[in-house]
Amino acid sequence: MARRRKKSKTNRLWGWLAGLAVLAVVLYHYQPWEYFQDDVYVKDSQWPYKDETTGRPYSRDYDGIDISRHQGRIHWNVLSKNRDIQFVYVKATQGRRRKDRRYAENVREARNAGFKVGSYHFLHRGSSGKVQFEHFRSVVDRREQDLLPMVDVEDDGTRGMSRSEIQQCLREFVTAAKAYYGKSPVIYCNEAYYEKYLTPEFDNYYLFIANYSRKPVLPGRVKYDLWQFSKKGRVRGIWTWVDLIRLAPGRRVSDLEL
């Protein structure tokens, strides 16, 4: 009888271990926490309640902006009068499930304000680039897009991935995007990230490079096409800080059109 009880306990232990292994695989595959991460930024529809950018003059010498839920409620009736803004990139998706809560509103209002509009995806570890593009495609209506799609690849999304893993994921995304749109997307990252992970394999894409201290200088003869030169722009109609973009010398918005 003692031997039988010992065997029964061993079987139960193995059963628990097998169950935990299955649970770990399911959690890794479905990543249910993605549904709740966005709640960190929950704001009501009226946020921000006052202009949080006071204390410095309004920004000048920029060609476009990129926006997401982090800008909160935008006063489009004011922004529509801004003659510096030629185009707006709007965050649509992240990873394989997350959608920016203000995406549909921002695209609609930006187009109504007369701006050229493009949408972007934040590449995230945990799923293939192809899966992530399918999520992007399911959210973004291509009939509402004036500009090439853009994929945002940076440390916050790819931390823990190797150079080869990052390149594979990004390559899958841009390949799927080109098959769907007929044109390759714009790739966004900062200057250091590009040098560490993406060059020379992605040198022939449209490049949107962030550098907040000087014009981007890329390896060899590679040139940037868009430059995010500030993440603390002050723009009339937006009551939080906003990213500012300049076109590279010789580039026009029409170069980025679908």
Side-chain angles (χ1 to χ4, degrees):
M1 293 292 292
R3 189 177 300 169
R4 192 174 300 168
R5 284 198 297 272
K6 184 176 180 180
K7 185 176 181 180
S8 178
K9 288 181 179 178
T10 301
N11 289 340
R12 285 200 297 271
L13 176 60
W14 279 110
W16 275 105
L17 290 174
L20 288 172
V22 170
L23 178 61
V25 170
V26 170
L27 289 174
Y28 177 79
H29 181 74
Y30 290 103
Q31 299 182 7
W33 51 83
E34 285 190 352
Y35 290 109
F36 304 102
Q37 287 174 338
D38 200 39
D39 291 341
V40 174
Y41 301 101
V42 168
K43 307 280 188 180
D44 69 46
S45 61
Q46 296 304 306
W47 176 83
Y49 317 108
K50 61 182 180 64
D51 192 341
E52 299 176 350
T53 69
T54 54
R56 68 166 64 179
Y58 286 106
S59 301
R60 301 177 61 185
D61 300 324
Y62 55 93
D63 300 308
I65 59 175
D66 66 76
I67 60 174
S68 69
R69 68 181 185 277
H70 295 290
Q71 276 63 56
R73 182 171 65 100
I74 294 174
H75 299 261
W76 291 98
N77 60 322
V78 177
L79 197 67
S80 64
K81 300 173 185 176
N82 190 317
R83 295 294 174 253
D84 289 315
I85 300 175
Q86 301 180 54
F87 63 92
V88 178
Y89 265 105
V90 183
K91 183 177 181 182
T93 51
Q94 177 170 327
R96 60 179 170 180
R97 286 194 182 88
R98 292 171 65 181
K99 173 184 174 182
D100 189 285
R101 65 177 69 251
R102 288 190 179 268
Y103 173 69
E105 172 191 348
N106 282 337
V107 168
R108 181 183 66 250
E109 295 297 338
R111 289 177 63 83
N112 288 342
F115 300 126
K116 297 286 187 180
V117 174
S119 299
Y120 74 92
H121 173 83
F122 187 87
L123 203 72
H124 204 276
R125 60 191 170 273
S127 55
S128 72
K130 183 177 180 180
V131 167
Q132 294 190 52
F133 175 74
E134 287 303 313
H135 174 43
F136 177 81
R137 185 176 67 83
S138 71
V139 170
V140 174
D141 186 342
R142 65 187 297 173
R143 295 169 298 182
E144 297 178 338
Q145 306 302 298
D146 303 300
L147 307 178
L148 295 171
M150 187 250 287
V151 54
D152 179 343
V153 53
E154 52 187 280
D155 284 324
D156 285 348
T158 62
R159 187 170 288 111
M161 297 174 69
S162 67
R163 175 184 166 92
S164 61
E165 289 171 333
I166 291 170
Q167 290 201 2
Q168 179 179 347
C169 188
L170 179 58
R171 188 173 291 109
E172 290 172 348
F173 187 96
V174 299
T175 299
K178 184 175 182 180
Y180 181 69
Y181 288 103
K183 296 182 179 180
S184 296
V186 177
I187 296 175
Y188 167 91
C189 63
N190 66 43
E191 185 178 311
Y193 190 98
Y194 185 78
E195 293 180 6
K196 184 175 182 180
Y197 295 110
L198 302 186
T199 188
E201 289 83 355
F202 293 90
D203 286 354
N204 293 324
Y205 288 84
Y206 280 114
L207 300 177
F208 181 4
I209 303 296
N211 187 314
Y212 305 129
S213 60
R214 58 174 173 78
K215 290 183 179 181
V217 178
L218 302 181
R221 298 183 177 181
V222 183
K223 302 295 183 182
Y224 70 90
D225 300 284
L226 296 163
W227 171 25
Q228 186 184 89
F229 69 95
S230 175
K231 59 181 177 180
K232 281 225 163 184
R234 187 181 182 213
V235 174
R236 294 183 191 275
I238 299 180
W239 286 4
T240 56
W241 304 115
V242 64
D243 297 333
L244 301 180
I245 308 166
R246 286 179 184 151
L247 292 162
R251 276 278 174 239
R252 298 173 299 177
V253 178
S254 59
D255 296 330
L256 303 173
E257 290 181 356
L258 274 173

